[in-house]
């Protein structure tokens, strides 16, 4: 089955979105800082607009990482 240019581009976007979800989930980005122990959580000083901007920036970096070919490591 051949892929059209649109389906190939969509696949790249899906991979970048999955990468964004992975990184954001492990870095606790886009979530409010709720700690069960007072004083030990991250301060929630970021405005929602700042969080959205950060997530969009991260998504663009994920797209760049997925779309940029990397050289294969040299075999020894």
């Amino acid at each position: 089955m051949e892929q059209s240019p649109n389906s190939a581009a969509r696949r790249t976007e899906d991979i970048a979105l999955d990468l964004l979800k992975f990184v954001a989930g492990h870095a606790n980005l886009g979530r409010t800082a709720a700690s069960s122990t007072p004083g030990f959580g991250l301060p929630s000083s970021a405005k929602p607009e700042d969080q959205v901007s950060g997530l969009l920036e991260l998504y663009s970096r994920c797209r760049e990482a997925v779309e940029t070919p990397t050289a294969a490591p040299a075999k020894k």
Side-chain angles (χ1 to χ4, degrees), residues 15-70:
I15 294 169
L17 184 58
D18 288 340
L19 182 59
L20 168 73
K21 290 177 186 176
F22 177 80
V23 171
H26 285 0
N28 291 327
L29 297 175
R31 296 184 181 167
T32 57
S35 176
S36 61
T37 307
F40 289 98
L42 295 173
S44 178
S45 61
K47 297 178 185 176
E49 295 85 13
D50 295 336
Q51 290 179 345
V52 170
S53 296
L55 287 172
L56 290 173
E57 172 65 26
L58 179 58
Y59 178 69
S60 67
R61 291 176 65 190
C62 290
R63 290 261 325 254
E64 183 179 324
V66 170
E67 293 173 353
T68 304
T70 59

Side-chain angles (χ1 to χ4, degrees), residues 1-14:
M1 175 180 245
E2 291 184 29
Q3 290 185 346
S4 67
N6 288 340
S7 66
R10 182 69 198 144
R11 175 134 172 82
T12 301
E13 291 170 357
D14 289 339

